[in-house]
Amino acid sequence: MPLAATFALLFLARSAPADRYRFVLYGDCRDGHEVHRKLVALMMKEHPAFVIQTGDLVHKGTNEDNWKTYDEITGEMRSKIPIYPARGNHDFGGDGYDSRIDFKIESGDKKHYSFTRGKWHFVSLDVDEHENYGPSGEEYKWMVADLEKASKAKQDIAVFFHVPPYSIGSHGSDKDVRATLCPVFAKYGVTLVLNGHDHIYYRTQRDGITYIVSGGGGAPLYPVNPKEGAIDGDQYLSTNHIVVFDVDGDTMKAEALKADGTPFDHFEVHGRSH
């Protein structure tokens, strides 16, 4: 990129209002390294303020070579752009995942945390074990307190974690996650929930909340089965992809892109104050 163009991008990034920015969503890169490389290059071309990763960064959390490969693929991007992950079931074991939570968080710890950008408050959860995210768990208590604080502050709220409460991929909807967490999301005015785990793209709206499964980051793709719970208006595709969100105040305009950059879904998400 010419030096003048680089300075122009830096000027625009620094002069943009705090509540106007772009972020990118993807998940489940795991061991699909060549696809992952393509998606990282695509994400960097979008010049996001940050990236959200919905889990399964590697195939086996206890394998240090897996983490070295992840670092090699994402290293340049991570040196320029913060990546906020949620821990997936493949990320467990060792200290590989924890050691890559190297950014400042407002509240929580390396397994569950929150941060704010502009009018939006983002919450990352770990939902692998019910004793953690269930009502008697410390994470659940932290989550409720964090959501209540954000709600009282009239912030718009987005939550991301690995296992989806609504999905039509091979794993399908996790009914326990749905029963435990979705009523809490509705109570505190969450308007966007981002998940992975199923290696597909799926977008649905339930009870006024937009739910997105983005698990097309490189792991073997799963088929979609709309007979397993899809409703009118849902969008879905089995493809490697990213989702680009352009935030302007309480409104997000989003575009889902295949690995070659071809768009295949467009939608908007509005915060509750819209």
Side-chain angles (χ1 to χ4, degrees), residues 150-202:
S151 181
K152 287 181 178 179
K154 301 189 183 303
Q155 293 176 310
D156 299 312
I157 305 172
V159 180
F160 60 102
F161 51 94
H162 189 56
V163 179
Y166 296 99
S167 184
I168 56 171
S170 297
H171 288 301
S173 304
D174 189 302
K175 303 295 178 60
D176 188 60
V177 170
R178 184 191 300 179
T180 304
L181 297 181
C182 291
V184 181
F185 299 157
K187 178 178 179 180
Y188 291 106
V190 173
T191 54
L192 178 64
V193 176
L194 309 171
N195 304 118
H197 199 42
D198 262 336
H199 307 161
I200 63 170
Y201 173 83
Y202 178 56

Side-chain angles (χ1 to χ4, degrees), residues 132-148:
N132 294 330
Y133 74 85
S136 62
E138 290 303 314
E139 179 182 18
Y140 183 94
K141 296 172 185 176
W142 170 86
M143 174 191 67
V144 169
D146 190 77
L147 292 176
E148 185 173 24

Side-chain angles (χ1 to χ4, degrees), residues 7 21 33 53 61-62 86-87 89 100 106 138-139 146 149 158 160 182-183 189 195 207 228 237 245 259 263:
F7 281 132
Y21 55 89
H33 305 317
Q53 213 279 8
T62 56
R87 188 169 70 159
N89 54 295
R100 283 152 184 86
E106 292 179 15
E138 290 303 314
E139 179 182 18
D146 190 77
K149 181 179 178 181
F160 60 102
C182 291
N195 304 118
D207 301 318
E228 294 298 319
L237 191 66
F245 291 82

Side-chain angles (χ1 to χ4, degrees), residues 68-84:
K68 289 179 180 178
T69 301
Y70 172 81
D71 288 342
E72 184 267 320
I73 294 172
T74 63
E76 182 182 0
M77 181 168 71
R78 290 170 59 211
S79 71
K80 301 174 181 178
I81 304 164
I83 299 180
Y84 296 99

Side-chain angles (χ1 to χ4, degrees), residues 201 203 210 212 243 245 252-254 265-269:
Y201 173 83
R203 175 171 63 86
T210 298
I212 297 173
V243 188
F245 291 82
M252 295 181 178
K253 293 184 178 181
D265 189 26
H266 303 263
F267 60 96
E268 290 189 15
V269 178

